[in-house]
Amino acid sequence: MSRSPLRGALAAAAALLVLATPAAALAAPNPAGASAAPYPLGAPAAAPEQAPALALPRPTGPHAVGTTTLHLVDGSRTDPWVSGKPRELMVSIWYPARTARGERAPYMTAKEAELLLKEQGAGAEVVNALAGTRTNAVTGAAPLGRRRGLPLVVLSPGFGMPRSSLTALSEDLASRGYAVVGIDHTHESPTTFPDGRTTPCTTCESGGTPEFGEKSTRVRAADVSFVLDRLTGKRPAWEHAGLIDRSRIGMAGHSLGGNSATHTMLTDPRVRAGVNMDGTFWIPIPDTGLRKPFMLLGAGELHAQGGADPTWGRDWENMTGWKRWVTVKGMGHNALTDYAPLLADVIKDEEMFGTLPGTRSLEITRKYVGAFFDLHLRGRSRPLLDRASARYPEVTFQQ
């Protein structure tokens, strides 16, 4: 897959969006079966003299948020992207915490930031700004909850994007009483391991074809199942795994991560409900159907009924359980990630972020994804999912 050059001058904030290019490529429609092409990146509205201070919006739930990271090695599986090595993953866990006191977790490592930005000629000050960003979650905070009391949501990021790209959604769900696990799908984004190694996005130069999308979908489903094994098995990798309710597990993802949710649900019975946030379906839902609850959350007109991506209409017909198909007017593909509230007001790139303010895009994403899991993992009534809302006039129910 070829990369699109950055148009115009490179500012600190604009450089960050290089990571969106491969993700957008796999989310873009491909009705003719040709290789998917990346969205072009736009120039910033103005080139700031210094890298901007980056801050994630605070979670909206009643609880403080804690977080931890795990290094997991699947000795039974060879890495599909690098021959001869076992599959190893880095995951983050967010959860409701007893206190907000303590050190807030970093957004990503310096090396991850460097690899994301290196091809755009970003200086050290830009890398440092990104790597120096702090989240709202406290590292290692004591968890809040009773045994088997927390529903679990698995989040899978877009292609080329690290697990950190969905931090704002993860923190919000955790603040509302969920355990959330975000997965770095190794070699599909830069990933730093505890021994100091940082693997690059090995596949970013070759990804973008339907064949790659299909393979990655299967790899991601296997990654999710392995992580669930390590969190809900007899010898869990997380010391507080006893808080997870194994009977209430859902999955959501952005772009390629959202496409992977249906395949995971079809291959792993533990995943009860899922959300696709603006991702093309690279592996069709079979005619036997997907009977589990599923929501399509699309940006702008691309994923509206009759839009440029035909896979949503195709697979909608084979979703035979509870289902919703909603789109958000004015939202761009990457507006469903952290980069909307962090950078949309600086980049001013409608193809990437749409016309909605970044904080508004995040609010809508949090509200609808949270309502979906409240309904299907907690059994709580959420009329927001049944009809148009005067509070969110940008949202349209397609079916």
Side-chain angles (χ1 to χ4, degrees):
M1 177 186 69
S2 59
R3 290 182 181 272
S4 295
L6 187 66
R7 297 195 306 263
L10 172 66
L16 177 57
L17 265 294
V18 66
L19 64 94
T21 304
L26 281 183
N30 190 24
S35 296
Y39 288 129
L41 298 180
E49 295 180 0
Q50 296 180 349
L54 305 179
L56 289 172
R58 295 181 61 83
T60 62
H63 305 301
V65 179
T67 188
T68 191
T69 59
L70 299 175
H71 174 213
L72 304 177
V73 180
D74 186 354
S76 67
R77 186 163 54 119
T78 301
D79 192 290
W81 307 118
V82 179
S83 61
K85 296 183 178 181
R87 184 66 167 166
E88 57 180 334
L89 303 170
M90 290 299 299
V91 305
S92 290
I93 301 174
W94 294 267
Y95 52 88
R98 296 186 179 276
T99 178
R101 296 178 181 177
E103 183 179 1
R104 290 187 298 155
Y107 190 62
M108 64 174 61
T109 69
K111 190 63 176 179
E112 288 168 338
E114 177 187 344
L115 289 174
L116 287 170
L117 300 174
K118 69 175 184 177
E119 294 191 10
Q120 301 304 318
E125 72 283 356
V126 182
V127 174
N128 292 340
L130 183 59
T133 299
R134 293 282 164 172
T135 69
N136 296 293
V138 176
T139 301
L144 176 69
R146 56 181 174 78
R147 182 171 176 80
R148 302 286 186 261
L150 300 181
L152 176 66
V153 175
V154 181
L155 293 182
S156 180
F159 176 52
M161 296 189 184
R163 66 191 189 276
S164 60
S165 64
L166 298 175
T167 295
L169 175 59
S170 301
E171 291 181 338
D172 198 64
L173 288 168
S175 76
R176 296 171 55 187
Y178 291 86
V180 183
V181 57
I183 303 174
D184 262 0
H185 300 283
T186 312
H187 301 297
E188 292 189 35
S189 68
T191 303
T192 298
F193 293 92
D195 60 5
R197 290 175 298 125
T198 300
T199 58
C201 181
T202 310
T203 60
C204 277
E205 292 297 336
S206 58
T209 65
E211 293 77 16
F212 175 85
E214 292 176 13
K215 179 178 178 179
S216 180
T217 298
R218 299 182 194 281
V219 170
R220 286 174 177 238
D223 286 347
V224 171
S225 292
F226 168 66
V227 170
L228 291 180
D229 289 343
R230 299 296 288 119
L231 290 180
T232 64
K234 293 182 178 179
R235 297 180 179 178
W238 183 36
E239 62 179 321
H240 303 297
L243 297 172
I244 296 172
D245 185 344
R246 302 173 185 175
S247 69
R248 294 186 293 166
I249 298 175
M251 179 178 174
H254 171 243
S255 196
L256 184 51
N259 138 82
S260 301
T262 53
H263 191 67
T264 303
M265 293 168 66
L266 288 166
T267 57
D268 194 323
R270 293 172 293 186
V271 183
R272 290 178 43 182
V275 181
N276 179 351
M277 300 188 295
D278 216 47
T280 290
F281 288 107
W282 294 100
I283 297 180
I285 296 174
D287 291 340
T288 52
L290 176 67
R291 299 180 178 88
K292 301 175 184 179
F294 202 82
M295 182 170 73
L296 300 170
L297 178 59
E301 298 180 357
L302 172 65
H303 283 125
Q305 189 174 9
D309 183 355
T311 68
W312 278 33
R314 178 200 67 197
D315 282 17
W316 174 260
E317 298 302 321
N318 286 336
M319 295 177 189
T320 56
W322 185 103
K323 59 183 178 180
R324 293 292 184 273
W325 180 350
V326 297
T327 56
V328 186
K329 183 179 180 180
M331 183 183 279
H333 178 68
N334 279 2
L336 292 112
T337 72
D338 293 350
Y339 309 123
L342 287 175
L343 297 169
D345 292 339
V346 178
I347 297 297
K348 305 296 184 184
D349 187 326
E350 293 186 7
E351 195 166 10
M352 286 282 96
F353 297 114
T355 56
L356 284 182
T359 52
R360 180 65 170 177
S361 292
L362 176 63
E363 178 186 359
I364 292 172
T365 300
R366 283 173 161 181
K367 284 290 184 180
Y368 279 82
V369 174
F372 175 84
F373 287 121
D374 280 351
L375 175 63
H376 295 292
L377 297 185
R378 288 174 149 172
R380 297 178 179 178
S381 176
R382 290 294 181 262
L384 181 69
L385 300 176
D386 293 330
R387 63 188 70 92
S389 168
R391 185 174 179 180
Y392 300 108
E394 305 95 332
V395 177
T396 298
F397 283 73
Q398 297 292 329
Q399 292 279 357

